[in-house]
Each structure stands twice: as structure tokens, then as C-alpha cells.
Amino acid sequence: MKGRYLSLAATGAALCLTATLTGCGTVSGLSGDNEVTLRVVAADYGDNPQNSSATYWKGLASSFEKDNPGVHVEVSVYSWSEVDAKVAEMVKAGKAPDIAQIGAYADYAEAGKLYTADELLSVNTEADFLAPLADAGKVKRVQYGMPFVASTRLLFYNTKLLGDAGVIPKDGSAPWQPKSWADLEAAAKKLKGAGVPTPFALPLGREEAQAESMMWMLAGGGGYTDNEEAYAIDSPENVKSFEFLRDKMVGQGLTGPVEPGKLDRQAAFDAFTRGEVGMLNGHPTLIKQAAGKGVKFGMVPMPTADGADHSAMGVADWVMAFKNGHRKEAGKFLDLLYSAKNVTAFTNTYDLLPVTTSGYRAMDASTGGSAAQLKTFLAALPTSRLYPVGKKSWAGVSEDIKQNIGQVVQPGGQPAKVLENIATSARKADGDH
């Protein structure tokens, strides 16, 4: 996912799918007064042609057409590196798709280009979304963005390295159960003493600095916004979180040889799969990456500053429907998309989390495949906090964080000053001075 938890985007040309005789890029429906062509643009979650999301969408389109004569579905699947830009180009050219499954919706909602969720969905479908995800899809308390898939983050640790360092029993008889940042610091010191190259990987590089930052903010009792959803990036809680990272983790040499501001997420994951990292925050894709390299690992909720419970970070991608005059047809298609069967089929394929209560219950009850490992991520989802994606300013604020947050943990870094600068710009962009 773009800037979130999947960077598995397959590059190259879009895959155009249609179960009709229309050509790729057709805008209007087939001949006939009552026939409609629904144009859908979606992102590819696969990392090779064999597991492209195109297969899923093709099946969904065929199923829908069978039950809805006269409505044809045309799907274009693009890599995450280009799908948002493709939709932006279509909208600018006056050829917005009927439905888009991409990374952000707020700009289009603010511009009045989207149907609201309750204009599209059946009552049962709309009520099925998990509450924090539905709330994150709202602009000024009205839902335009419909969550598509979700994830949370957990702290991964290398069981062999922690065992060798004396953090946990070598025989694996007891898992690690850290509660506070003091536990994290103590374990990192032991790992460093045992010669582990990177006791704790802290990727504050451009790839996903906004995610790593938010995890630490939430665990410290803060976050990007306050309870009224106004930006609070420079809150005292956030300042203290980064002071801990600067003084206790980076300052004591516990974050490895690469400066956090120059360490990207995937580079940290790769080092973990090579057995060079003791601990790091990770998302579900790291399960397969680590297992594929034979790394034995455990996963626990992110410890908090004081050991008290705080919200975990959740992430989601979005579906939206543009006002093209096909509200009824788009709504029917979305009801099918969000059926428990289809939600489960997609999330199982890509080790992602469902966004609906029915999908959540289905995964929670399952026992096959990677369900057991994913349940640890799933448990944190209903109470998770998401990026403030309902703010049209968020894209710019996220970029500001990517560029500057690494400075705060450098020796002599000034968290209060850097966070104040980011927050001031964010409030100005959002209009909540």
C-alpha cells in the first residue's frame, strides 16, 4: 500500500479487465437506452503477475454482471506507485471513474465530487463497517470514504537474538511480554551488549516516517490530532515521546549504524530478515518476509511510555464513488464488494485485515492459513487510531513529517521546535490556527 503497510506494488502498465466487449478506456455504456458501463479503478496488492489483484476484480465484475443485466463493469488495475495519480488525471480531464479504490479521498470530497456513503450503500452494508474506520472516512462528520482493507502494527522481535542476550529464555519456554518503554530500553541494552548490530530499528526515513512517528506518538499518549480532531502534533506528550527516542534509544546507541532519518521501512525489514535486528515495529507483510528467510520471531503490542493502555495505529485504504450519474449501479456494486464472502476472499489472499464487522468475525473464527498470526493484528483494529485522512491537508502534512521528523532524534535535536514548526504549518493548511 502506498506509504502504508504494503509496498508490494507491481510496476508497469495497468491491467484492463472487462467482462464485456468494450475496449479499455471506454467511457459510455454499450448501445441501448438502459445499459450502463461502470468504470472502476483499483490498486494492485500483488507483488507479481500471478497474484495480481486483477484476478479478484475480474471475478467480482463477472459475478455482478450476471446478477445485473444491462450493467457492464470495466476495471483498470494499477500499481500503488501510479494509481492515485491516474485517478487524479482522470478527474482533471473530466473523466472520473465511477468507483476508485485508492489511497485518499478527502480532496475529492471537499470538492463536492463524491457521493456520500449513505447515498450509495444499503443500510446493512453501511452499518457493517468497523466504527474507527467509518469515522476515518468522514469529512465534516459525513462519510465519503469507504474503507477497503486495513492493518495495524505490532512490535516484532527476533526470538534467537533475545534468547542469546538473556531477554527471554533460550529454550523459548516463555514469550517476551514488554509493557513499557523502560522494558524496551532494557532489552535493547542487552541486545547491544550481546553484539547485535541493530538492537532496535527506528525507520524515520522517507518511506514511512509518518507511520513510525504515529506509533510512538500514540504509545506516548499523544497523536497527530486531539480529541476534537484538530492538529496537536506539538503536544507535550509527543515532545516527550521524541525526547525518549533521542536520549534513550538513539543517544545510547541502541538503534544501529544507520541514522534513523535515513533508514527506510523496507531496509529495516530486510535487516530483520537477515537476523541483524533485535526489534522493530512491523505490519503483516513482515510475517511472510521473515518466515521466508527462516527467522524465528514473536509479535507483541507496542509497549507504551508508562505501561498503560493506549490506542494502536491502524491504517486503511479507501473506496469512493464519483458523481457520474450512476449512483444506483455503483451502490449495488459496492454492496457486493462489501459482502462478507468477498471481504474475506480479498483479505485472506493478501494477509490483510477486514474493515467490516462481519469480515472481522469471520477472520476471528477462522483457524486455517496465517489466521492465527493475523489475529494478533486483528485484536487491535476495533480501537485503533488512523491517520487524519479526512483532512485535505494531510497529504502535505505527511510529506512535511517525512522530510523533517528524522531531525528530532539526532544528538542535539530539538523535538519541541521541530514539532512546533510542523504543527504550525499543518494548522495553517487546515485552517484551524
Side-chain angles (χ1 to χ4, degrees), residues 3 203-210 260-265 398-404:
L204 293 175
R206 283 190 51 80
E207 184 184 344
E208 255 199 338
Q210 83 286 2
K262 295 178 180 176
L263 180 64
D264 280 339
R265 168 79 57 201
S398 177
E399 185 61 30
D400 197 1
I401 292 162
K402 290 179 183 181
Q403 289 182 10
N404 296 300

Side-chain angles (χ1 to χ4, degrees), residues 50-65:
Q50 284 68 47
N51 70 354
S52 169
S53 305
T55 303
Y56 170 83
W57 287 101
K58 183 176 183 179
L60 195 69
S62 296
S63 176
F64 182 79
E65 290 182 342

Side-chain angles (χ1 to χ4, degrees), residues 155 184 198-206 208-209 211-217 241-242 244-251 254-265 267-269 271 277-281 302 405-406 408-410:
L155 179 68
L184 211 61
T198 302
F200 191 102
L202 183 65
L204 293 175
R206 283 190 51 80
E208 255 199 338
E212 187 74 21
S213 298
M214 185 172 175
M215 280 182 273
W216 287 96
M217 289 177 176
S241 295
F242 283 104
F244 168 81
L245 291 174
R246 179 194 64 189
D247 300 338
K248 301 297 186 180
M249 301 302 287
V250 179
L254 304 179
T255 54
V258 181
E259 185 181 321
K262 295 178 180 176
L263 180 64
D264 280 339
R265 168 79 57 201
F269 281 12
V277 172
M279 305 172 283
L280 83 170
N281 292 313
M302 172 74 161
I405 205 69
V408 304
V409 299
Q410 292 174 339

Side-chain angles (χ1 to χ4, degrees), residues 222-233 235 385 391 427:
Y224 284 128
T225 56
D226 60 20
N227 290 334
E228 300 300 319
E229 295 306 314
Y231 280 119
I233 297 166
S235 70
R385 289 274 299 275
K391 293 178 176 290
R427 292 183 187 116

